[in-house]
Amino acid sequence: MLYNEEFETLPRQALEALQLKRLQSMVARVYASVPFYRQALDKAGMGPDSVASLEDLQRLPFTTKQDMRDSYPYGLFAAPMEEIVRIHASSGTTGKPTVVGYTHKDIDTWTELMARSLAAAGAHKGDIIHNAYGYGLFTGGLGAHYGAERLGASVIPISGGNTKRQIMIMQDFGSTVLTCTPSYSLFMAEEARAEGVDFRNLKLRVGIFGAEPWSEAMRGEIEAKLSLAAIDIYGLSEIMGPGVAIECIEAKRGLHIWEDHFIPEVINPETGERVPEGEKGELVITTITKQGIPLIRYRTRDITSITYEPCICGRTHARIARMSGRSDDMLIIRGVNVFPSQIESILVGIEGVEPHYLLIVDRKDNLDTLEIQVEVDERLFSDEVKVLQTLAKRIEKEIKDMLGVTCNAKLVEPKTIQRSEGKAKRVIDNRKL
Ligand SMILES: [Zn+2]
């Protein structure tokens, strides 16, 4: 369902004209109000009105997460503090978080884009949205919340945690839409099973999952275990929060990125040059309407590709492919590039293997080693040891054949690997220690 038909179906030419106008005004605004950008633009030989066409975007400087850290907390804000009505921050793995501020208009835009996203996923007025994204500094909870209200749905602000209670509420309140991380949805399915609750008897119809990369194989697993349509949503706090891009339920092929507010580019992370349509690279996003903290060519470090091909749903906005990982999640094992999501795809496709796994990378005698701890169906543990050995060998062989990486598969009993109510931890790299 289209939430904002006019903007979601803008013909390409009109969309690009709007992007150019908005880009020009944004560049002029940050040149005038953010010293960091005035310096960076001067250095690139660009002024407040040097953008004459969308092609000129490529001449603008990049913004990195490090730039945001260096200007902690408010250095990149383009609006005065009196106009900032909300502050969010993303948890950094090290040190200080990345801080973002929203004006009234920014919150309004975010709400609209989240409403569009929920509608694209098949949610509508009358739905009961069980929002299990964390509420707090993390943008997930509040972002989805406001969008759900704007859509006219009933939102249950349950947040993360207390999984037994989540399942009881989903049952009793008749939740029809679930929003959380994909790994948490599988944890819920597991807990429900333990409680004797069958997801097929719940009213859930759609699940909107994001905040961590997940594979197509994982989608199959979630859809089977939770008995719903699983939709991929994308967002990051630096750009806005959830609702930057979403799959439409009609096609479930690529995520529409809301191009009237964001200009996406896909670049080669090494050279910074754009890659051709359809080729993989790092996603770079320029925000063209944000007031609080507009960003020019923000390097998301997420790996994807982009297509401008028309979609059967009628939306004209470009689609980015399901994220295959973050450039900083990429593991290099004996010279081979591997994303945890690739390993996940293989594991999920093997009968008897559960989608809970942990990758442990180490270095022994100057050689990288990869151990994959993965849970298997409890019934297998009651079988002969030989069955488990055969399964471990099969995992090792499939990973070697498909990814070219030698690994050691360690099969563990169900519920051995720590569960997460937010983003799952998939990798322990002991080489850095
Ligand atoms: Zn579509």
Side-chain angles (χ1 to χ4, degrees):
M1 191 190 77
L2 298 169
Y3 174 79
N4 183 336
E5 187 166 351
E6 184 193 348
F7 281 90
E8 288 179 57
T9 61
L10 264 189
R12 190 88 232 153
Q13 216 180 354
L15 188 53
E16 288 183 358
L18 180 67
Q19 285 182 323
L20 178 61
K21 204 178 92 197
R22 289 180 165 177
L23 175 65
Q24 287 168 328
S25 125
M26 186 275 270
V27 169
R29 200 164 65 245
V30 297
Y31 191 89
S33 54
V34 185
F36 166 83
Y37 276 127
R38 188 176 315 146
Q39 253 175 30
L41 286 163
D42 281 343
K43 211 172 141 200
M46 302 288 283
D49 39 39
S50 342
V51 175
S53 73
L54 283 181
E55 284 304 300
D56 288 337
L57 179 60
Q58 293 177 80
R59 296 167 55 209
L60 298 176
F62 290 114
T63 310
T64 63
K65 194 165 180 100
Q66 190 58 45
D67 294 328
M68 296 186 79
R69 287 209 187 99
D70 292 345
S71 47
Y72 177 84
Y74 304 139
L76 289 183
F77 283 21
M81 276 321 275
E82 307 85 79
E83 286 176 27
I84 300 292
V85 297
R86 176 103 65 84
I87 294 168
H88 278 287
S90 72
S91 52
T93 37
T94 48
K96 304 279 192 189
T98 314
V99 182
V100 287
Y102 303 73
T103 63
H104 268 299
K105 184 165 169 284
D106 290 335
I107 296 287
D108 188 61
T109 304
W110 186 12
T111 302
E112 141 104 22
L113 296 185
M114 195 60 217
R116 277 191 209 177
S117 299
L118 291 166
H124 48 69
K125 202 175 162 81
D127 265 321
I128 298 176
I129 300 186
H130 187 97
N131 186 21
Y133 281 117
Y135 281 67
L137 276 179
F138 171 60
T139 48
L142 284 168
H145 182 104
Y146 274 59
E149 285 186 355
R150 174 76 57 93
L151 188 64
S154 317
V155 55
I156 305 174
I158 186 115
S159 197
N162 202 341
T163 309
K164 282 195 177 79
R165 186 160 154 266
Q166 300 249 5
I167 291 160
M168 179 191 80
I169 289 198
M170 262 191 269
Q171 260 186 314
D172 296 350
F173 291 18
S175 309
T176 54
V177 176
L178 169 65
T179 53
C180 62
T181 58
S183 53
Y184 189 45
S185 79
L186 282 172
F187 181 44
M188 279 186 183
E190 201 173 61
E191 285 289 294
R193 213 170 97 186
E195 296 285 301
V197 174
D198 188 341
F199 263 94
R200 282 173 301 186
N201 298 331
L202 301 188
K203 290 195 175 140
L204 287 176
R205 191 181 76 245
V206 178
I208 300 168
F209 306 114
E212 62 188 21
W214 50 307
S215 61
E216 199 55 39
M218 176 86 110
R219 186 203 314 262
E221 188 85 20
I222 292 174
E223 292 192 332
K225 287 197 165 150
L226 281 84
S227 185
L228 44 67
I231 299 291
D232 193 8
I233 186 168
Y234 175 74
L236 62 171
S237 66
E238 294 90 328
I239 295 302
M240 179 178 82
V244 172
I246 189 147
E247 286 178 328
C248 58
I249 194 158
E250 293 91 339
K252 279 200 209 164
R253 271 191 82 159
L255 296 83
H256 289 284
I257 176 158
W258 303 121
E259 286 189 272
D260 50 338
H261 296 274
F262 311 110
I263 304 180
E265 298 171 271
V266 178
I267 64 159
N268 175 329
E270 307 294 324
T271 64
E273 298 291 322
R274 276 193 200 167
V275 301
E277 184 174 343
E279 261 179 43
K280 267 193 188 183
E282 178 183 347
L283 178 65
V284 169
I285 299 177
T286 299
T287 70
I288 48 176
T289 54
K290 256 168 69 173
Q291 296 182 326
I293 177 165
L295 295 178
I296 297 176
R297 305 189 85 196
Y298 182 69
R299 296 195 52 163
T300 66
R301 296 175 302 163
D302 289 317
I303 304 294
T304 187
S305 61
I306 195 163
T307 174
Y308 293 87
E309 274 173 30
C311 182
I312 54 165
C313 69
R315 291 177 184 84
T316 50
H317 298 235
R319 279 172 293 161
I320 50 176
R322 172 187 278 288
M323 298 298 147
S324 42
R326 307 209 77 175
S327 55
D328 33 348
D329 283 346
M330 189 178 78
L331 292 165
I332 303 178
I333 298 166
R334 297 194 199 178
V336 181
N337 298 350
V338 183
F339 285 104
S341 57
Q342 291 177 302
I343 294 177
E344 177 186 297
S345 289
I346 295 170
L347 293 176
V348 173
I350 299 175
E351 170 102 40
V353 172
E354 299 291 322
H356 302 285
Y357 63 94
L358 184 65
L359 311 179
I360 301 167
V361 189
D362 213 332
R363 182 161 288 168
K364 288 186 186 109
D365 303 326
N366 293 317
L367 277 179
D368 297 331
T369 59
L370 169 65
E371 177 179 292
I372 302 181
Q373 293 188 1
V374 60
E375 293 182 7
V376 296
D377 197 309
E378 55 195 343
R379 280 166 299 182
L380 292 179
F381 275 92
S382 49
D383 287 336
E384 290 173 64
V385 179
K386 219 177 120 197
V387 177
L388 288 173
Q389 280 172 345
T390 309
L391 183 59
K393 284 270 172 304
R394 181 169 163 211
I395 292 172
E396 290 166 4
K397 181 169 185 312
E398 290 211 10
I399 289 186
K400 176 77 187 172
D401 290 350
M402 314 263 287
L403 304 176
V405 174
T406 305
C407 71
N408 171 28
K410 189 177 169 201
L411 307 182
V412 298
E413 290 189 49
K415 301 191 179 175
T416 311
I417 289 164
Q418 204 191 339
R419 300 295 189 261
S420 157
E421 286 163 356
K423 300 186 191 194
K425 182 163 178 60
R426 302 292 198 194
V427 180
I428 296 175
D429 194 340
N430 292 322
R431 292 176 300 183
K432 288 169 193 155
L433 299 177

